[in-house]
Amino acid sequence: MAAALLVAVGASAGFHLLPALIAVGGLAGAFLLLADEVGPAGRTGAEDESPYAPERQRGEAPAPFSPIHDALGDLAVIRGMDGTIVWANVIFHQVCARADVSGLTCAAVGLSFEPTPEPDRYLARLATATGVRLYDWHDVIAREPASGRLTRHSIGRDVTEEARAAREREEARRRAEEASQAKSRLLATVSHEIRTPLSGILGMSHLLAQTQLSAEQHNYLAGMRQSGHALVQLVEDLIDFSSLSAGRFKLRPSQQDLRGVLEGVVEMLSHRAHEKGIEVGATVAADVPASMEFDAARLRQVLFNVIGNAVKFTETGGVFVAADIDEGCVRIRIDDSGPGMSAEELGRVFEEFEQAGDDAQRAKGTGLGLAISRRIMEAFGGSLTACSTAGVGSRFEVCFPLEGAEPSSALARRGMLSGMHVLVLAPDGPASAALAATIATLGGKCHRAATLAVAESFAAAALTNSLPLTDIIVDHRRAGQFRELLFRLPAIGALRLRKTYLINPEERTSHPVNQMGGYEAWLIRPLREKSLVEVLLGRLKGIEKRDAINDNRPVLREEPPVAVAKGARAILVAEDDPVNALILRTILRRAGHSVQQVGDFRALEAAIHGQDGACVAPSLIVTDLNMPGGDGLAVLRRLREKEAAGDMVRVPVIVLTSDVRGDLHQLLLAAGADGVLSKPIEPARLVTEIADLLEGEKT
């Protein structure tokens, strides 16, 4: 149909429409169809007067097409089946610098052809006075209507500049890849070189913290550790950014409790919030399963970045975090009452190395946190979005698909506090909002009173039996108003309400545990759901026990509970850095183990084989991956080969490395490592890992 259209249009409209015909049917097709239309004489009533066009040979050449192809800048040639040229347009003669090419072959005029994957299509090269030109060459076989003779019609379009541009693009891509690889190597080297001394700094500060220090020295040490952990986070951000850019980023999902992850992050950031005089609170809806599949470490990283930013930029009010299920996805909303962002700031807040806020706030980070967080959530199959109103606040929303959920775990939370009527005497803010939302989520009723007058009205209703109160929770900032309430309505004491005192973790030192002050229990905010339930059900008395949260640093990797070593075991430590070697020896000896230390791989293998060549296997080996005297992977493989041959018993091996690439960890595990720990080493994690491996060897 396209061919018929070309013929009809060409015959009726004339050759000035050839560019449109070419767009429809292609260069060679248009050329052939129009050649057939004018017939074998090749005349339309106007003879070609060009000095570059020779007389047509044997009456076959469509000379009138020469101006058309010339105008398009294309080569046009008709050849016999033996390859001799019977006609060529003006451009062909000009490019070949010949007056007449009739009877010659393409090879004779300097054309060479390189096949392409498409049939009857070639890349043609022609050496000219200005250099080698490249042509996109098409051949079409046609039969002359009058004689029935087969001829080869060809059109070549000059693609020299396009080819040059493609070569330049390829060269630029190659240079960019080489630069990217060089940057990756540089980052890996710098990361290793930073992590080694940083491991020594944090390790020594850990050991120093276990000695007798004055209060002032403890403060200095806490500041040093805080700076060290901030530097670790900076290195982690740079490595994550590099991994995401190179496509090496991988998630490691497992069954996890979202509420525990969320509460842990909020607890870690509460100290920063309370120092600024603001609140932070979190609640999890009842429809969120207690167990689902996700990468907890990476989600924790995202939440720490997003909630941490909200705390950093908020000066009054606070940060409220709420998790629920929306259209099959887990949704976590982070609302703050900060200054908000302009449309321009909001548009670039997720860009690399971009930061909002004033100069002082921008100086506190790299501007990578939110960019990395968004890309992590995209790897989750989810999203990280933001909306904001200048002068009002911002909302960030984390979403990812709900996978591997256990529906029964969500149903178990519904109705846990059914029948509970709780009066909360606390200032308006995220803390009381989170407390009220949690009570309502679990099936209870919460009545919030921000002022003494509101609390008095609720209490009066309870005294008249129109409000069946069961509990009253008093924020420490409203303790004086609660005493005033008891003075005004002493009959409240006869209602047998369970009274709970709510404090900041920083307030524990100023409120001794043994002075309950008439309260049956104390809770710490930000609130843990489990502790709240235990208190309201009467199962928790006294002060809530909570681990230390004032370290105020991100915990982005899973940390197992500390295990206590059972009995002294012989551990061989291979570490070439003297500071890190001292740290490892001290940690392991304090855990009850005996330690032998070597400084390179040759000494490691010699220690295993002993003086007389007989294998003397230690209970466990802790070795750095990069040391003089060999290659860590090769040494590990040789050790496992000797064990497989029966030359020695199997020894657990823990490898320490400053290189945190996931593929390297997998290589080490495949080579026979029992554990791979990244530097800086967490002492508790190392001790626990060793205890687990030694216990496993026993069984």
Side-chain angles (χ1 to χ4, degrees), residues 43 114 183 217 248 271 303 311 321 346 397 429 441 456 486 502 511 529 608 619 639 644 656 664-665 692:
R43 293 289 184 264
E114 178 183 326
K183 286 189 289 186
Q217 289 170 328
R248 296 193 305 264
H271 182 64
L303 293 175
V311 170
V321 184
L346 189 62
E397 193 169 285
T441 288
E456 191 172 6
L486 293 176
L502 184 62
H511 294 84
E529 182 181 297
I608 294 173
S619 299
L639 174 64
L656 311 180
L664 176 62
H665 285 210
D692 290 344

Side-chain angles (χ1 to χ4, degrees), residues 344-401:
E344 189 256 337
E345 287 177 320
L346 189 62
R348 58 183 172 84
V349 72
F350 291 111
E351 298 296 324
E352 290 94 356
F353 306 106
E354 289 287 350
Q355 294 177 284
D358 56 29
D359 292 339
Q361 290 167 325
R362 286 197 294 268
K364 294 179 182 179
T366 61
L368 282 175
L370 288 179
I372 291 172
S373 296
R374 168 171 273 188
R375 294 176 74 171
I376 289 175
M377 293 317 303
E378 289 172 352
F380 266 72
S383 62
L384 171 60
T385 57
C387 58
S388 185
T389 303
V392 176
S394 302
R395 166 177 285 183
F396 283 78
E397 193 169 285
V398 176
C399 290
F400 60 93

Side-chain angles (χ1 to χ4, degrees), residues 12-179:
S12 62
F15 296 115
H16 65 281
L17 292 180
L18 186 60
L21 299 178
I22 290 171
V24 177
L27 285 171
F31 177 79
L32 178 60
L33 289 169
L34 290 176
D36 290 342
E37 177 65 20
V38 297
R43 293 289 184 264
T44 58
E47 296 294 330
D48 184 10
E49 299 177 356
S50 170
Y52 295 99
E55 290 298 323
R56 58 186 176 88
Q57 303 295 313
R58 296 182 297 277
E60 301 144 69
F65 296 111
S66 179
I68 299 172
H69 295 300
D70 295 346
L72 294 173
D74 297 327
L75 307 182
V77 180
I78 298 177
R79 291 172 289 167
M81 296 309 294
D82 60 354
T84 59
I85 299 173
V86 297
W87 178 86
N89 71 337
V90 171
I91 298 295
F92 191 92
H93 286 86
Q94 288 176 342
V95 170
C96 296
R98 291 175 181 264
D100 187 3
V101 295
S102 301
L104 301 176
T105 64
C106 287
V109 299
L111 273 167
S112 62
F113 297 94
E114 178 183 326
T116 68
E118 297 184 32
D120 299 320
R121 186 168 183 174
Y122 306 88
L123 178 64
R125 288 182 171 84
L126 178 63
T128 69
T130 58
V132 176
R133 308 298 295 180
L134 300 178
Y135 294 89
D136 183 14
W137 188 277
H138 296 252
D139 283 346
V140 177
I141 304 297
R143 186 179 298 277
E144 291 289 339
S147 65
R149 183 184 301 115
L150 293 176
T151 55
R152 190 185 305 271
H153 295 243
S154 305
I155 292 181
R157 171 154 292 173
D158 193 329
V159 293
T160 307
E161 294 305 315
E162 289 88 338
R164 180 189 58 78
R167 286 196 303 272
E168 291 178 351
R169 287 195 298 270
E170 177 61 23
E171 180 65 19
R173 184 195 63 79
R174 186 186 61 78
R175 289 196 301 268
E177 283 186 353
E178 291 177 352

Side-chain angles (χ1 to χ4, degrees), residues 589-623:
R589 284 170 180 165
R590 286 183 177 177
H593 302 294
S594 61
V595 181
Q596 178 188 358
Q597 189 244 325
V598 295
D600 58 53
F601 284 120
R602 285 188 296 268
L604 172 62
E605 294 189 280
I608 294 173
H609 291 94
Q611 298 292 334
D612 56 358
C615 290
V616 182
S619 299
L620 184 137
I621 297 173
V622 178
T623 178

Side-chain angles (χ1 to χ4, degrees), residues 564-571 585 587-595 619 687 690-691 694:
V564 180
K566 297 180 181 178
R569 306 294 291 274
I571 296 180
R585 291 199 308 270
I587 291 172
L588 296 178
R589 284 170 180 165
R590 286 183 177 177
H593 302 294
S594 61
V595 181
S619 299
V687 171
I690 290 174
L694 293 177

